């Protein structure tokens, strides 16, 4: 079997952009993947990087030896060494598609190639439910509505400011105005009061505050029983996590902006991290994600995969989550379809299968989903062939 062609799509998908790869083979088996630069800057760069990598290293080759192809790209791409968002997002999409081809050819789910599944369904937490909220009362009402749908975990960005381009704008220059600190606390207090003690609350700080502002704020939030605080400091400063961890009982989480096993190794060795959040669409794909999960296990750390891409990214994250023993919870955006410009990307998004906060592990071959060709066709970025 040989990879005969590749199609790359950049698909508007609500508040994000899906960079989608489809690999075709001369045996008629296809595989799909996603480069996880769905927001922020870099979407077009990752699509072009994906085109170049596929053209130079994948088309014309046997898709079978996935790890060999992964390391061929890593070793010969030059800028891939040491990690980086654009390079590793493109490498991730290729890795997904290669594993998808292998699993589809065998007629089994991707997770079974890694010894899974460990469970029949995956616990999820809801993100995106807060869109359009500003006041504590609005947050409370939205949280209560989401909890009544069966979600046992809710994530929000209490420091965030609504932004028409970025959707939520994180703090800049490591600070927030003093006048906003009380609003931040009141938002979290309102959510806790609305959902009661049995629903987990996750907070994403966006990597954004200096210690003089961060530590007092976390102290005010501790009585609320927070499940974890994500990126309390800039992820480029892994050593600072241990300093923050020494000043709070709230677990700290990060990983969305750590790339490859080397990025996580630095964070694990620095200490202070309680929950690892690799994004399988930008940290090197399944091949690297499994190694990261194993390393996390050696540090007694659970894994809560970061998932903020198209519905294809959710299917990819679900396969990974089902294959690791230290899985904690999976991020999900249950209300994708109400976002302006939503595009399903795949034929049967897994978000629709969530019941009482649980997502059934896909049992179909490959990634368990297929590309919605009508949805992605108008958004073709490039085609590469023999």
């Amino acid at each position: 079997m040989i990879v005969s062609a590749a199609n790359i799509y950049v698909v508007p998908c609500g508040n994000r952009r899906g960079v989608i790869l489809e690999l075709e083979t001369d045996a008629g088996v296809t595989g799909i993947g996603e480069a996880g630069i769905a927001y922020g800057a870099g979407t077009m760069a990752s699509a072009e990087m994906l085109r170049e990598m596929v053209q130079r290293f994948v088309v014309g080759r046997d898709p079978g030896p996935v790890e060999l192809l992964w390391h061929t790209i890593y070793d010969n791409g030059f800028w891939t060494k040491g990690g980086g968002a654009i390079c590793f997002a493109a490498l991730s999409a290729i890795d997904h598609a290669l594993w998808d081809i292998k699993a589809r050819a065998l007629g089994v789910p991707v997770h079974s190639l890694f010894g899974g599944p460990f469970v029949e369904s995956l616990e999820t937490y809801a993100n995106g439910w807060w869109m359009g909220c500003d006041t504590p009362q609005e947050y409370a009402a939205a949280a209560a509505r989401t909890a009544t749908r069966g979600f046992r975990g809710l994530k929000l960005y209490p420091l965030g400011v609504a932004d028409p381009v970025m959707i939520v704008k994180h703090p800049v220059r490591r600070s927030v105005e003093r006048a906003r600190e009380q609003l931040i606390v009141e938002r979290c207090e309102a959510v806790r009061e609305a959902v009661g003690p049995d629903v987990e609350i996750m907070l994403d700080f966006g990597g954004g505050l200096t210690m003089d502002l961060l530590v007092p704020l976390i102290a005010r939030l501790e009585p609320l029983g927070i499940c974890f605080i994500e990126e309390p400091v800039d992820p480029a400063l892994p050593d600072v996590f241990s300093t923050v961890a020494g000043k709070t009982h709230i677990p700290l989480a990060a990983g969305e902006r750590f790339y490859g096993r080397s990025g996580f190794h630095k964070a694990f060795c620095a200490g202070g991290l309680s929950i690892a959040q690799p994004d399988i669409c930008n940290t090197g794909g399944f091949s690297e994600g499994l190694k990261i999960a194993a390393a996390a296990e050696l540090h007694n750390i659970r894994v809560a995969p970061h998932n903020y891409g198209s519905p294809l990214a959710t299917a990819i994250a679900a396969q990974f989550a089902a294959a690791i023993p230290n899985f904690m919870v999976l991020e999900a955006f249950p209300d994708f379809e109400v976002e302006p410009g939503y595009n399903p990307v795949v034929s049967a998004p897994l978000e629709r299968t969530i019941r009482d906060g649980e997502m059934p592990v896909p049992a179909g071959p490959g990634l368990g989903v297929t590309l919605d060709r009508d949805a992605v066709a108008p958004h073709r970025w490039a085609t590469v062939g023999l």
Side-chain angles (χ1 to χ4, degrees):
M1 188 189 304
I2 296 296
V3 177
S4 56
N7 298 301
I8 300 165
Y9 306 89
V10 179
V11 188
C13 188
N15 294 322
R16 56 202 58 77
R17 301 167 298 279
V19 180
I20 310 299
L21 169 67
E22 179 187 37
L23 293 181
E24 301 175 359
T25 69
D26 60 356
V29 182
T30 62
I32 53 178
E34 179 164 349
I37 307 293
Y39 49 96
T43 299
M44 303 309 176
S46 65
E48 187 59 22
M49 177 64 77
L50 184 53
R51 183 202 61 77
E52 183 176 355
M53 282 185 176
V54 166
Q55 186 174 47
R56 292 181 63 185
F57 303 116
V58 180
V59 170
R61 300 199 179 208
D62 177 0
V66 181
E67 288 272 4
L68 173 60
L69 286 169
W70 194 100
H71 281 277
T72 297
I73 297 171
Y74 181 79
D75 291 337
N76 293 289
F78 191 83
W79 302 109
T80 42
K81 288 198 171 182
I86 304 303
C87 289
F88 263 68
L91 180 54
S92 297
I94 293 169
D95 186 79
H96 307 150
L98 293 172
W99 284 112
D100 192 26
I101 288 171
K102 184 181 288 289
R104 288 183 189 278
L106 295 171
V108 299
V110 166
H111 60 69
S112 72
L113 301 180
F114 310 133
F118 276 91
V119 293
E120 294 182 355
S121 64
L122 305 168
E123 184 173 351
T124 66
Y125 68 83
N127 199 344
W129 56 271
W130 44 264
M131 289 182 184
C133 296
D134 184 47
T135 68
Q137 294 76 20
E138 291 169 340
Y139 272 89
R145 288 194 299 269
T146 308
T148 58
R149 295 161 59 185
F151 285 97
R152 300 185 295 276
L154 307 175
K155 188 163 85 175
L156 66 149
Y157 304 79
L159 283 63
V161 177
D163 184 90
V165 176
M166 301 179 64
I167 310 306
V168 58
K169 185 177 181 181
H170 293 295
V172 295
R173 301 197 306 279
R174 308 293 185 270
S175 65
V176 293
E177 299 84 355
R178 290 283 183 182
R180 289 189 59 82
E181 290 184 19
Q182 184 61 26
L183 175 62
I184 290 166
V185 175
E186 289 177 357
R187 285 173 171 176
C188 297
E189 289 175 338
V191 170
R192 172 54 75 203
E193 184 175 356
V195 301
D198 297 328
V199 174
E200 299 281 16
I201 297 175
M202 295 84 163
L203 305 179
D204 189 339
F205 277 18
L209 295 182
T210 52
M211 296 295 285
D212 61 309
L213 297 173
L214 178 66
V215 173
L217 177 59
I218 290 179
R220 295 183 67 183
L221 297 173
E222 274 212 6
L224 301 180
I226 303 301
C227 178
F228 64 69
I229 293 179
E230 180 176 338
E231 287 194 343
V233 296
D234 190 321
L237 307 172
D239 291 342
V240 182
F241 278 86
S242 60
T243 305
V244 178
K247 299 179 182 297
T248 181
H249 294 294
I250 301 176
L252 305 183
E256 164 187 8
R257 290 184 277 192
F258 295 155
Y259 308 109
R261 77 195 86 158
S262 61
F264 278 88
H265 175 70
K266 295 172 187 175
F268 292 156
C269 290
L273 199 64
S274 294
I275 298 158
Q277 296 177 297
D279 189 318
I280 302 306
C281 290
N282 71 21
T283 200
F286 296 117
S287 296
E288 199 74 345
L290 293 168
K291 298 176 180 71
I292 291 166
E297 195 174 7
L298 291 175
H299 289 269
N300 205 31
I301 291 173
R302 286 196 292 174
V303 175
H306 180 267
N307 175 40
Y308 199 157
S310 81
L312 174 56
T314 300
I316 291 164
Q319 295 288 336
F320 168 69
I324 59 174
N326 48 344
F327 167 71
M328 176 185 177
V329 66
L330 176 62
E331 183 172 18
F333 284 74
D335 298 317
F336 260 7
E337 293 170 303
V338 303
E339 296 178 13
Y342 169 79
N343 201 318
V345 176
V346 296
S347 55
L350 297 187
E351 287 83 0
R352 297 174 183 167
T353 70
I354 299 173
R355 298 290 183 275
D356 295 324
E358 297 277 338
M359 177 187 293
V361 173
L367 294 175
V369 295
T370 57
L371 210 58
D372 184 333
R373 297 188 179 282
D374 290 338
V376 303
H379 306 289
R380 189 189 306 267
W381 173 270
T383 295
V384 179
L386 288 171

